[in-house]
Amino acid sequence: MMLTQCPWREGVLASFIVLGGMAIAGAADFELPALNSPASSEHHAGKMVWADLITPDLSTAEKFYGGVFGWTFKRIRAGSSDYSLAMFGGRPIGGVMQRTMPSAEPHQSAWLTFMACADVEATQRVAVEHGAKVLTDAKNYPQRGKQIVLSDPEGAVFAVLASSSGDSPDYLPVVGEWIWSSLHAQNAGNEAAFYQELFGFDVFEAPSADGAEHLILSSDNYARASANGHASESSRKHSHWLNFVRVENAAQTAAKVTAMGGHVLVRPRVDRHGGMLAVMSDPAGAPFGVMEWSESDIKAEPK
Amino acid sequence: MRTMHSRLLAAAVGAMSLSMLFACSVTGYGVEGGGAVGYAGSYEPYGYYEPYGYDYGGWGGSYWVGPRRGGEGAEHRDGRSEDRGERGGESGDRGGSRAFDHGGDRGHAPAYRPAPVGRSAPSIPSRPRER
């Protein structure tokens, strides 16, 4: 029987048109945006280029970070999860993913740090050779690029991303954008060596009087991150990455954080660069840092 | 009446077929091939939620984790003149960040390859974003 003679044909065609359109629209919802639009031809291995927050309450996180930093959010369907893009200045700067908190043992929400690499498979191979574990297999998102989630030899979780649109040029982040990342580890030297293998970092000792080891990791002649031994009295001994957002005034940000249900973990204090730095957590307990960076900071640099 | 019934049946069959096709074709965040778990679900088996621990105590006055100012960024390879304004005029080591001397003052060689002796640690980029 030919289709033209089939009494079903109108129904079939109609359903294909309607549902085909839905399929196309739905598939588009799953696409992550490019890191850079227009695309950049630059590549900066080891540069922190993205962060994903894993939280049990997406709406609370959106309200909190929107209120504290002025970020806006755009919801994306993410399979079984809800995912929201964090936007600032018209650019995507991170994501927030809602996941159910495991109930078996105490856990807390956290930001996952993404670092730039040129080749995910090569980075994975080197990482595993040097003691890393693969937490999720490499996965490709056409506009975003290929990424993989790993844990370093001490268990600090991080991700690497080979961006399809290159890496962001090296600009001074504006207030409200990520400006710095610090790794807190049992053995900062060993961890620095691991990340040096991955990204070719130059490693500089940054002595201080607190007895902990502090190292600056740089690439392309710019400081990208620090690796730090745990503070002596801290009971937070598991290794982790901590990301910092540039703020105008750390003390005012701390007050705002507290008012919006967050907590101040390290009160504003002068850091190496002469500006104020503080560590806080959002209402779900995810830690993040804030850092002042201005021309005038240098006048107050610690001795 | 029968024709109408056939059309409705066809529409239902078409809808089911396309739904199944759609479920198997979505990539990225979500379900692939109707079975494998994508980005969202793949965090959970590893319990990405970190072990509980709020305590950031012990950050004494000299526990510095941020970048420093000054350093070699001013001499960046592409010679951007705007970088020199912030860093070029400094003596270079205000925060004391220097390449670790091989075997240096900790009495043993570090696990990492230290930057060459005499180089000071660079700072973060200082060039403002182009509007």
Side-chain angles (χ1 to χ4, degrees):
Chain A
M1 184 168 61
M2 293 175 63
L3 187 61
T4 51
Q5 295 173 328
C6 176
W8 299 3
R9 69 182 189 279
E10 290 174 23
V12 170
L13 285 173
S15 62
F16 267 74
I17 290 168
V18 171
L19 289 170
M22 288 170 63
I24 291 166
D29 284 345
F30 285 77
E31 186 54 70
L32 286 169
L35 278 190
N36 296 290
S37 182
S40 161
S41 60
E42 298 188 23
H43 294 282
H44 302 295
K47 179 179 181 178
M48 186 265 198
V49 290
W50 189 257
D52 269 345
L53 172 67
I54 317 300
T55 184
D57 188 339
L58 187 56
S59 296
T60 298
E62 288 175 335
K63 186 177 176 186
F64 176 81
Y65 289 99
V68 172
F69 297 126
W71 296 353
T72 57
F73 295 89
K74 180 182 171 188
R75 293 279 181 112
I76 292 181
R77 276 189 59 208
S80 59
S81 297
D82 291 320
Y83 187 84
S84 186
L85 276 178
M87 311 283 292
F88 188 77
R91 289 183 295 274
I93 59 168
V96 182
M97 175 177 288
Q98 179 167 303
R99 303 298 292 169
T100 304
M101 183 86 76
S103 55
E105 53 189 89
H107 283 76
Q108 71 175 56
S109 178
W111 282 94
L112 174 63
T113 306
F114 286 71
M115 302 165 99
C117 75
D119 183 329
V120 165
E121 278 79 12
T123 305
Q124 174 185 349
R125 187 170 57 251
V126 173
V128 170
E129 284 172 2
H130 289 83
K133 291 178 181 169
V134 176
L135 301 189
T136 67
D137 290 329
K139 196 156 181 61
N140 191 50
Y141 303 95
Q143 287 191 54
R144 171 57 53 83
K146 186 173 277 191
Q147 64 186 48
I148 188 170
V149 183
L150 303 163
S151 64
D152 72 19
E154 285 196 10
V157 179
F158 68 105
V160 293
L161 169 64
S163 166
S164 300
S165 56
D167 295 327
S168 307
D170 282 320
Y171 296 118
L172 174 64
V174 299
V175 170
E177 291 182 330
W178 300 110
I179 187 170
W180 188 244
S181 297
S182 65
L183 173 67
H184 299 263
Q186 299 283 359
N187 188 321
N190 287 348
E191 290 279 89
F194 169 78
Y195 288 99
Q196 185 176 52
E197 293 295 335
L198 261 58
F199 303 120
F201 282 137
D202 290 325
V203 180
F204 297 84
E205 187 186 30
S208 67
D210 64 354
E213 189 170 23
H214 297 274
L215 301 163
I216 301 291
L217 312 178
S218 78
S219 66
D220 307 315
N221 247 355
Y222 286 121
R224 302 296 187 193
S226 65
N228 310 275
H230 288 302
S232 57
E233 296 167 20
S234 174
S235 63
R236 187 184 172 84
K237 295 298 188 188
H238 75 274
S239 300
H240 63 285
W241 280 94
L242 181 67
N243 301 308
F244 292 78
V245 177
R246 185 182 176 191
V247 296
E248 194 75 48
N249 185 305
Q252 288 177 5
T253 304
K256 199 182 291 185
V257 162
T258 304
M260 298 196 67
H263 300 275
V264 176
L265 307 180
V266 177
R267 288 202 275 204
R269 54 203 293 285
V270 177
D271 202 81
R272 182 179 290 120
H273 67 293
M276 303 295 278
L277 172 152
V279 182
M280 307 173 193
S281 65
D282 67 20
F288 62 93
V290 298
M291 182 186 293
E292 297 176 5
W293 188 276
S294 68
E295 294 300 321
S296 59
D297 289 344
I298 201 162
K299 296 172 185 168
E301 187 162 5
K303 303 296 181 189
Chain B
M1 186 68 190
R2 187 179 172 190
T3 302
M4 180 63 73
H5 181 76
S6 298
R7 285 177 179 167
L8 286 172
L9 185 62
V13 170
M16 286 178 63
S17 302
L18 276 171
S19 297
M20 291 169 69
L21 180 66
F22 175 56
C24 295
S25 66
V26 173
T27 57
Y29 280 64
V31 179
E32 278 189 274
V37 178
Y39 180 81
S42 53
Y43 279 139
E44 203 157 52
Y46 301 98
Y48 181 67
Y49 278 113
E50 289 194 353
Y52 185 81
Y54 261 47
D55 187 3
Y56 273 86
W59 281 34
S62 60
Y63 187 79
W64 298 330
V65 304
R68 60 184 298 272
R69 289 184 178 271
E72 294 187 351
E75 314 304 326
H76 197 266
R77 294 178 191 117
D78 65 7
R80 284 195 285 262
S81 59
E82 54 266 54
D83 280 343
R84 297 199 173 97
E86 180 177 283
R87 293 184 291 233
E90 294 186 55
S91 58
D93 209 24
R94 300 169 66 96
S97 303
R98 278 208 175 277
F100 192 68
D101 196 3
H102 295 263
D105 54 21
R106 292 182 189 276
H108 57 83
Y112 55 86
R113 298 182 299 280
V117 175
R119 277 188 62 191
S120 53
S123 188
I124 61 174
S126 61
R127 185 171 55 149
R129 186 185 297 276
E130 294 161 2
R131 295 287 174 187

